[in-house]
Amino acid sequence: MKKLVFVVVSLLLVLGLVACSSANQSNNNNATTPGQSDKVTDSGSSDGEKIMLRYYTSGRHDIAIFEEYIEKFNQTNTDNIEVEFVGMSENYQQSVDIAFSSGQAPDLLRVNDQTFEPFYKKNYLEPLNDYMTDELTKKFDGLFNEGINQVDGQIYSLPNDGRTYRLIYNQEIFEQVGLDGPPKTLAELVDYADRITQWGKDKNIYGFAQNFKNPKASLERSAAPIVALSGHNGFGFNFQTGRFDFGGYKEVMLAFKEMYDNGSMLPGSESLDIDPLRAQFAEGNIGMYFSFSVEPGVYKDQFPTDIKWAAAIPPTIDGEAKSSLNLTAAGTFISISSESKHKDAAWKFLEFLAQDEFLTDYHEGGYGLSLVPSIQSTANEPDIYGMDGFLMTKYDTLWPVPPTVVPEGRNYTDTFFRFMIEGGDIDQIIEELSRDYNEALDKAIANGEVSVEPDPSFDPSQLISN
Amino acid sequence: MKKARQLWESYTFLMPSFILTIILGVYPIFWAMRYMFYDYSGYGTARFIGLGNFSRLWRDDDFWNSVVNTFIYAGGKLIVTLPLALLLAVILNHAIRGRQLLRGIYFMPTIISNAVMAVVFFIIFNSYNGVLNQFLTKYHIASSNIDWLGPKYAMLTTIIVAIWGAIGNYMILFLAGLQGIPDDLYESSSLDGANKAQQFWYITIPMLGPIMQMVILLAIIISLKGYESIMVLTGGGPIGKTEVMYLYVYKLFFPFNNESSPIEQIGYGSAAGFATALIVGVITIIYFMISRRLNRIF
């Protein structure tokens, strides 16, 4: 018995040591500069064997076009390359983590504005600079930006499309209530939501709704665009001072709170997800909500509707646009995995997708609005109901990327959502929030995780394109 | 020699599950525990910060809110589920017509996925066109739609869903216990003039003691650890009204939704996970001590 206890305890100790030693090992691995992995390349199918590439994607809305083009690539490429397409949804990031940590990393993976930084820092992405041709460099000129698709001059993803933020509104309801057009100011937004609710409440029609089940996903597509268009950064960062300042949210959150308090919001908005919201909008029960340019595709395929609806530039605090709307999911598209054994083959697939044919079809099919100047100038506008309201304007540009920090307390979206429901002193809330974020920023700077250079000459109005 | 052979056989049979437990149960605990003292977000360097994560946890109102919510959730669930499950088991232990079918129906929620169950309950409870609100307003039981998933009632709703999902499971365990009680006891007590209520109180309850002890223990642990249906139904919201301990920890390791910030807090999550395990462990030990003392008394 004693022996058995000895064996078990020894085993546990060994496991503990293994666990601790692997921590060091992982630290050492992570000490390597991301993107500096040893390059393992292949030279096509010299031995006649098929090169299988696995492509992981989180994109659901563009599955159809990928199926079509992957099929085309598999049939037409002369290097015996076959791309296999693995679609994932909610747990994309975790699935990618598991694939990399278990030695089953894909050859190609989809990246967006949310996953680019963690994937880069985890050393998942292969720099593309060595593969870039003069033709592609020229084609995507001006679309490679630090923190968006490149780090320290190393490109990690070719750009393709971007998504525009808009206010989506039911035109039939607006006509029946006697509203001329979408609201231009916050005061109008609150007023219109109230008037629609007064008119339609008996018929279960409400002025406003948002997918508040996930406060971050909801406020980033509703409050943040209003804040940005009004001249402040939607993530609460002041590029002039290099500090966080959530003051730009004050008027916006007061307006949201007013709509919540006066009953203009669809009942249950606090626990509403985006798809149930869309289902209610498609039924004609919601006057207005905010989202981005995937909505026309959603109402075409997922929630077909007969209602007359449109999209418009979001309102601003005082009716004047003092800066631009930050494009979302813009500038990033597909990266080559640092663990791929077939990087050259993977690049051939990326080159195939970077051709005008795919980029044009992607834009015209309404899967995403092209950022590429040559495509913008030659492609037709997407022929999908409602897409005209989402097309890029001078107000749809890319903001610089603020530093990513995790505050000790609640994040800003949870805090503002709580204010909307429970109330409180908004000035004090903003002050404490800015303090928490700045403390986290100082800590991140001290640890060398981020670097911030204040830019006193930064002028948000210059972001509006000419 | 025979003893050695028996021992060898025993350990051979034990070994597969022992190895799996070490790999899938013990190793992950060590893996997580080593990060309790580190500031680590899943990439970059893990920085040793001593008890920094624990002092942050101490100041974290949202964590303590989740602890309180867990007790409300588990308490509400247990207070209703256990007596109801026992009552159902006693009724369905009698030779009533269709009892097998009824047992199957009551047990069915146990085998349904929590996620599917939560989606169905969302359809029932959602505020704007939920089945429940339609029923209540149609028959004038409520004058307007009730916000079942709003800040006021969200916890009540999650408890109702939990009760519905758990009742059949405990009913089956109680039924197993009831079927182990010899009929002789009931027959002889009848001859002595005991009525049904007296039989239930003086025979059924004491004879169910050991299994009841186990069922209550399981129910406490499962209720304190439960979060899956809440995750689908409310995501812990609104404003943390249904945030329970394990969901809070889960979100630190696996931030929700690709659209939200995907920054993992492995170090802090490990500390929070350790604290929650400690809380569940302490409650389990307290329950053990109380039930042991009650055993001695009765």
Side-chain angles (χ1 to χ4, degrees):
Chain A
M1 189 61 196
K2 271 184 187 169
K3 264 188 184 173
L4 179 71
V5 172
F6 176 76
V7 169
V8 171
V9 170
S10 306
L11 199 58
L12 287 175
L13 284 172
V14 169
L15 271 169
L17 286 171
V18 168
C20 294
S21 69
S22 69
N24 296 334
Q25 198 179 20
S26 75
N27 293 345
N28 292 338
N29 287 343
N30 285 322
T32 317
T33 309
Q36 297 302 311
S37 62
D38 294 335
K39 194 184 272 187
V40 182
T41 57
D42 61 276
S43 53
S45 56
S46 55
D47 55 357
E49 252 184 54
K50 189 163 269 193
I51 298 172
M52 293 297 296
L53 297 180
R54 264 183 316 137
Y55 163 44
Y56 275 19
T57 178
S58 56
R60 278 177 290 184
H61 70 291
D62 56 8
I63 283 175
I65 190 168
F66 268 101
E67 280 176 343
E68 181 192 335
Y69 272 86
I70 285 174
E71 175 80 24
K72 201 179 278 185
F73 177 78
N74 289 345
Q75 285 177 358
T76 57
N77 82 82
T78 52
D79 300 295
N80 213 7
I81 302 167
E82 188 168 324
V83 177
E84 183 196 11
F85 166 14
V86 185
M88 292 165 187
S89 54
E90 301 303 330
N91 298 320
Y92 177 65
Q93 203 190 329
Q94 279 81 45
S95 306
V96 170
D97 283 342
I98 291 167
F100 272 87
S101 58
S102 61
Q104 300 173 68
D107 300 282
L108 296 139
L109 64 163
R110 190 73 171 258
V111 284
N112 63 24
D113 50 349
Q114 301 284 344
T115 53
F116 177 73
E117 186 183 344
F119 284 178
Y120 161 74
K121 286 189 170 171
K122 288 176 182 175
N123 205 15
Y124 292 171
L125 312 180
E126 178 70 12
L128 304 178
N129 297 50
D130 292 348
Y131 298 104
M132 290 294 288
T133 60
D134 291 343
E135 188 196 346
L136 285 179
T137 307
K138 196 176 160 195
K139 184 173 191 170
F140 296 123
D141 184 35
L143 295 174
F144 295 115
N145 295 293
E146 279 296 307
I148 291 173
N149 48 23
Q150 72 174 26
V151 181
D152 298 331
Q154 296 280 354
I155 297 163
Y156 290 92
S157 169
L158 299 180
N160 174 21
D161 64 324
R163 294 175 185 172
T164 54
Y165 286 112
R166 293 292 184 264
L167 172 88
I168 294 124
Y169 64 103
N170 183 321
Q171 289 174 303
E172 291 168 16
I173 293 177
F174 269 56
E175 281 164 19
Q176 290 179 63
V177 177
L179 301 170
D180 290 339
K184 300 273 191 302
T185 65
L186 271 180
E188 283 180 358
L189 175 74
V190 175
D191 179 45
Y192 289 11
D194 186 39
R195 283 164 67 180
I196 291 169
T197 307
Q198 296 303 329
W199 167 82
K201 197 174 176 182
D202 294 341
K203 297 177 281 250
N204 272 334
I205 296 171
Y206 290 82
F208 185 76
Q210 204 59 56
N211 53 320
F212 288 118
K213 183 177 180 184
N214 183 334
K216 193 163 177 62
S218 61
L219 290 177
E220 278 185 1
R221 74 177 75 191
S222 57
I226 301 173
V227 168
L229 202 58
S230 300
H232 310 275
N233 177 249
F235 296 101
F237 191 72
N238 184 331
F239 291 96
Q240 289 165 330
T241 60
R243 308 293 289 168
F244 281 95
D245 176 5
F246 289 91
Y249 269 89
K250 180 179 174 179
E251 300 302 327
V252 183
M253 291 320 300
L254 285 169
F256 275 43
K257 174 151 187 60
E258 196 178 339
M259 287 195 287
Y260 181 76
D261 288 347
N262 70 16
S264 299
M265 285 195 193
L266 183 80
S269 285
E270 309 97 329
S271 49
L272 198 61
D273 227 333
I274 188 66
D275 277 346
L277 184 155
R278 287 164 172 156
Q280 288 305 306
F281 184 78
E283 286 293 313
N285 295 334
I286 296 170
M288 299 175 280
Y289 74 99
F290 292 93
S291 196
F292 41 78
S293 48
V294 296
E295 303 302 282
V298 168
Y299 291 118
K300 179 176 161 240
D301 301 323
Q302 213 176 330
F303 301 106
T305 178
D306 296 328
I307 65 163
K308 225 172 94 189
W309 65 274
I313 296 278
T316 60
I317 293 172
D318 57 7
E320 191 188 341
K322 292 176 179 145
S323 186
S324 71
L325 292 157
N326 191 20
L327 287 163
T328 185
T332 46
F333 194 45
I334 302 171
S335 294
I336 295 178
S337 158
S338 60
E339 302 279 316
S340 172
K341 291 185 172 65
H342 307 291
K343 293 189 177 96
D344 287 353
W347 171 252
K348 279 173 183 159
F349 180 62
L350 284 194
E351 261 188 321
F352 173 77
L353 294 182
Q355 290 172 16
D356 284 358
E357 188 189 355
F358 174 80
L359 298 179
T360 303
D361 275 1
Y362 199 88
H363 176 85
E364 291 181 350
Y367 299 105
L369 299 167
S370 183
L371 295 174
V372 186
S374 59
I375 304 298
Q376 282 178 340
S377 61
T378 55
N380 298 316
E381 298 307 355
D383 185 22
I384 300 181
Y385 182 87
M387 188 55 99
D388 50 343
F390 288 95
L391 297 178
M392 292 213 193
T393 67
K394 63 178 183 176
Y395 296 112
D396 300 295
T397 60
L398 279 169
W399 275 69
V401 180
T404 308
V405 296
V406 182
E408 260 202 18
R410 289 180 193 121
N411 64 38
Y412 71 97
T413 49
D414 284 348
T415 306
F416 285 135
F417 177 56
R418 188 172 282 267
F419 164 76
M420 191 183 91
I421 291 184
E422 286 189 327
D425 181 344
I426 187 73
D427 291 316
Q428 192 186 341
I429 288 168
I430 285 172
E431 192 184 322
E432 287 173 2
L433 201 55
S434 303
R435 182 200 62 204
D436 288 351
Y437 270 77
N438 284 323
E439 280 176 8
L441 178 65
D442 290 337
K443 203 173 102 182
I445 292 170
N447 294 336
E449 291 162 7
V450 298
S451 61
V452 173
E453 283 293 324
D455 179 7
S457 64
F458 178 78
D459 179 3
S461 68
Q462 295 299 312
L463 291 170
I464 301 171
S465 69
N466 296 315
Chain B
M1 189 64 192
K2 194 181 171 188
K3 196 180 172 188
R5 199 182 148 192
Q6 276 178 340
L7 270 177
W8 169 247
E9 280 175 1
S10 305
Y11 288 126
T12 307
F13 279 113
L14 280 173
M15 208 39 80
S17 57
F18 176 74
I19 290 168
L20 284 174
T21 307
I22 293 288
I23 294 170
L24 302 174
V26 179
Y27 175 73
I29 293 173
F30 273 91
W31 186 91
M33 277 176 70
R34 69 192 162 140
Y35 283 121
M36 288 192 307
F37 308 105
Y38 286 84
D39 181 7
Y40 183 53
S41 58
Y43 51 79
T45 310
R47 279 187 320 108
F48 182 76
I49 53 168
L51 295 173
N53 284 326
F54 289 97
S55 64
R56 179 181 164 191
L57 200 63
W58 184 252
R59 298 190 300 272
D60 187 347
D61 292 341
D62 286 348
F63 173 72
W64 294 108
N65 171 57
S66 77
V67 175
V68 172
N69 282 343
T70 306
F71 287 124
I72 296 170
Y73 173 76
K77 179 182 168 186
L78 293 178
I79 285 170
V80 180
T81 306
L82 292 175
L84 217 54
L86 179 61
L87 188 70
L88 277 175
V90 170
I91 294 169
L92 295 179
N93 195 37
H94 286 103
I96 58 169
R97 181 181 278 189
R99 67 173 176 169
Q100 298 295 353
L101 178 70
L102 286 169
R103 282 178 189 176
I105 290 170
Y106 285 120
F107 187 70
M108 203 172 282
T110 309
I111 55 168
I112 295 176
S113 135
N114 279 324
V116 172
M117 197 168 86
V119 170
V120 171
F121 272 96
F122 180 80
I123 294 166
I124 295 171
F125 281 108
N126 83 59
S127 311
Y128 41 92
N129 66 349
V131 176
L132 182 60
N133 272 338
Q134 286 185 27
F135 174 82
L136 293 175
T137 49
K138 186 175 179 183
Y139 292 101
H140 306 290
I141 300 165
S143 57
S144 61
N145 284 354
I146 296 168
D147 196 358
W148 292 108
L149 298 172
K152 202 170 170 186
Y153 297 112
M155 179 54 89
L156 176 69
T157 305
T158 55
I159 290 172
I160 292 171
V161 176
I163 291 168
W164 185 84
I167 218 159
N169 190 27
Y170 300 124
M171 179 200 74
I172 290 291
L173 294 173
F174 282 133
L175 260 177
L178 287 171
Q179 284 162 6
I181 302 173
D183 289 340
D184 311 5
L185 293 175
Y186 292 104
E187 284 163 15
S188 56
S189 66
S190 299
L191 293 173
D192 291 338
N195 60 29
K196 290 285 178 196
Q198 286 170 322
Q199 283 180 342
F200 179 75
W201 189 250
Y202 293 108
I203 298 173
T204 309
I205 296 287
M207 292 299 286
L208 272 182
I211 199 146
M212 207 180 274
Q213 209 172 337
M214 187 49 67
V215 169
I216 294 172
L217 177 71
L218 281 175
I220 289 173
I221 295 173
I222 291 170
S223 302
L224 290 172
K225 288 170 67 180
Y227 72 94
E228 298 90 342
S229 60
I230 298 177
M231 187 162 85
V232 180
L233 198 60
T234 64
I239 53 169
K241 293 287 181 188
T242 58
E243 191 89 271
V244 289
M245 290 189 300
Y246 275 75
L247 181 57
Y248 187 77
V249 174
Y250 179 91
K251 285 196 225 175
L252 292 170
F253 279 102
F254 309 107
F256 269 10
N257 198 323
N258 286 336
E259 287 171 317
S260 24
S261 171
I263 296 176
E264 298 140 14
Q265 298 184 60
I266 307 285
Y268 187 54
S270 300
F274 179 76
T276 52
L278 208 63
I279 291 169
V280 175
V282 167
I283 291 166
T284 310
I285 290 168
I286 291 172
Y287 170 75
F288 256 131
M289 287 163 67
I290 293 172
S291 66
R292 200 178 280 177
R293 183 167 290 182
L294 288 174
N295 270 350
R296 278 204 295 270
I297 294 169
F298 299 104

